């Protein structure tokens, strides 16, 4: 592996890394553990996890900070000014934060730079949304003036995943703070670094003490406290479907709003009239970027039967040309999977698919390069010969594994593509704009990409249906998800109300 080339070099491993409990940086009360670099298994940071007592204290102190009002009662443009400073600070520290994210989960450096850019853009967007949000004067229907206004909820819990931490955390922290809330962040246990650094940036830019907490550790401990605590007024969660269901259950008992961005088994579709250069590149990017560790990965490929053989030849050649290796190398396409345990899960899925009759077209093994043996690498894998109803085509693998299936016509395609418990994303490759429109409306997915894939805009809502979740992140109106609506009536009648006359 290449030597580290980053500001952290002289400080690794980071020993006794503190957590943030409502602005107090201290050792967590939970068990000690290490955050490992997936590319070689070396220790990046050693810290003590937060425990249930830490989580309870963070919530209670966050509520006290919220009630002080030195953030929640600031005028929107004053909060926005702080969020703009956060965005600019993230940009100024782009390279350092990108390497921190690389150490967190092993993504290639080019990808982590893009994630840092996304986080900065998210804070900037919600700063603008915050200072331009308008309350509403509603139509008069009596001797009164009526208004609709929005106010912060209080304490918001943000529970984030390990695959794109800094971007996911910004997507929850930025609107929560813009709305005037206190936010308690529970990052994935194995990727705590980006969230902790974002908390430091928030403090340095003027977010008052107590308004941000970051509690690394086990979701079964910390997440349980956050979801059930009566002072937590909203939970924003990105992660697995089974955990999302549990959160939804507890939220229903509390009558608490939630947003749940969960799993996916997204179809990507190639018609015989597609631009093949674009389609091959897009399919490869859709499944193998991020090593397939993405909820919107295009993991089910449907190719029109007349094109199937020729397209698959090009796709397999493209997959074999992808560079799997050191995340620090600018030429790397795919870094390691996040952990040894997760790689073993991916390997079990591939073995099951082959046992069920699948044919391996490429990949399906750990790379042979001696320099990669200490990391959690896996080669880009393509399997064909399975039915859409078989397990490897229905269950989320969350790794670099693509299953390819031919289809005959639009109705056949729609039936197969929609035959899934998930409905998060889909992709279409065709030159026929009428067909693209028709199928984009028929496919059951929260996002449909047409002649592109895995592109995002913070201004456009994102989320899924069914087992892929509920609620939306991003988009101007998602700011309102972190606020409560109130109606005001201003009486204009000159005489007392006639009821008691």
């Amino acid at each position: 592996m290449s030597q580290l080339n980053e500001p952290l070099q002289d400080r690794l491993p980071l020993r006794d890394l503190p957590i943030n409990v409502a602005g107090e940086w201290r050792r967590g009360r939970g068990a000690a553990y290490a955050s490992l670099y997936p590319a070689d298994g070396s220790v990046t940071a050693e810290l003590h996890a937060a425990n249930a007592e830490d989580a309870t204290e963070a919530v209670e102190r966050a509520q006290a900070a919220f009630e002080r009002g030195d953030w929640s009662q600031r005028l929107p443009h004053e909060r926005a000014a702080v969020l703009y400073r956060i965005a600019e600070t993230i940009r100024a520290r782009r390279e350092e934060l990108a390497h921190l994210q690389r150490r967190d989960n092993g993504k290639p450096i080019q990808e982590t730079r893009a994630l840092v850019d996304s986080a900065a853009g998210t804070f900037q967007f919600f700063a603008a949304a915050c200072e331009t949000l308008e309350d509403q004067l509603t139509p008069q229907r009596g001797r009164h003036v009526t208004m609709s206004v929005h106010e912060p909820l209080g304490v918001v819990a943000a529970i984030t995943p390990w695959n794109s931490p800094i971007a996911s955390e910004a997507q929850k922290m930025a609107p929560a703070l813009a709305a005037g809330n206190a936010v308690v962040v529970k990052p994935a246990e194995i990727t705590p670094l980006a969230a902790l650094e974002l908390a430091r940036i928030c403090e340095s830019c003027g977010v008052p003490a107590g308004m941000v907490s970051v509690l690394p550790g086990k979701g079964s401990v910390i997440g349980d406290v956050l979801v059930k605590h009566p002072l937590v007024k909203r939970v924003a969660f990105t992660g697995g479907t089974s955990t999302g269901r549990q959160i939804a259950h507890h939220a229903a008992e509390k009558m608490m709003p939630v947003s749940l961005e969960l799993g996916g088994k997204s179809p990507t579709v190639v018609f015989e009239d597609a631009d093949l250069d674009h389609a091959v590149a897009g399919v490869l990017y859709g499944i193998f970027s991020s090593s397939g560790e993405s909820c919107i990965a295009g993991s089910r490929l449907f190719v029109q039967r007349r094109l199937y053989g020729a397209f698959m030849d090009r796709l397999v050649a493209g997959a074999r040309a992808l560079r799997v290796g050191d995340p620090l190398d600018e030429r790397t396409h795919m870094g390691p999977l996040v952990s040894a345990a997760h790689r073993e899960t991916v390997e079990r899925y591939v073995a099951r698919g082959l046992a069920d009759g699948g044919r391996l077209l490429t990949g399906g093994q750990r790379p042979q390069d001696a320099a990669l043996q200490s990391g959690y690498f896996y080669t880009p894998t393509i399997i064909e010969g399975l039915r859409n109803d078989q397990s490897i085509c229905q269950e989320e693998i969350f790794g670099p594994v693509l299953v390819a299936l031919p289809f005959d016509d639009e109705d056949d395609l729609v039936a197969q593509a929609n035959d899934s418990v998930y409905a998060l994303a889909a992709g279409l490759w065709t030159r026929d704009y009428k067909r693209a429109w028709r199928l984009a409306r028929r496919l059951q997915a929260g996002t449909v990409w047409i002649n592109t894939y895995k592109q995002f805009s913070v201004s456009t809502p994102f989320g899924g249906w069914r087992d892929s979740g509920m609620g939306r992140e991003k988009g101007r109106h998602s700011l309102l998800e972190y606020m409560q609506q109130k109606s005001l009536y201003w009486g204009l009648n000159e005489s007392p109300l006639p009821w008691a006359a």
Side-chain angles (χ1 to χ4, degrees), residues 67-120:
E67 291 176 355
R68 283 199 311 268
D70 52 356
W71 181 254
S72 60
Q73 294 177 26
R74 286 191 195 184
L75 294 175
H77 72 279
E78 294 172 335
R79 291 200 298 270
V82 175
L83 298 182
Y84 283 125
R85 286 198 294 271
I86 294 171
E88 289 308 306
T89 302
I90 291 171
R91 290 193 178 100
R93 298 179 56 189
R94 179 179 189 249
E95 197 67 10
E96 177 188 355
L97 292 171
H99 283 290
L100 192 72
Q101 179 75 105
R102 173 181 64 82
R103 292 288 309 196
D104 237 354
N105 68 356
K107 283 181 180 260
I109 187 62
Q110 291 195 36
E111 187 171 345
T112 61
R113 289 187 186 116
L115 292 173
V116 173
D117 293 341
S118 172

Side-chain angles (χ1 to χ4, degrees), residues 2 50 89 131 169 173 182 188 190 201 212 322 325 327 331 359 482:
S2 301
T89 302
E131 69 173 336
E169 283 140 12
M173 294 172 70
I190 58 177
I201 290 172
V212 175
L322 294 176
R331 300 169 301 169
R359 295 185 295 276
Y482 290 85

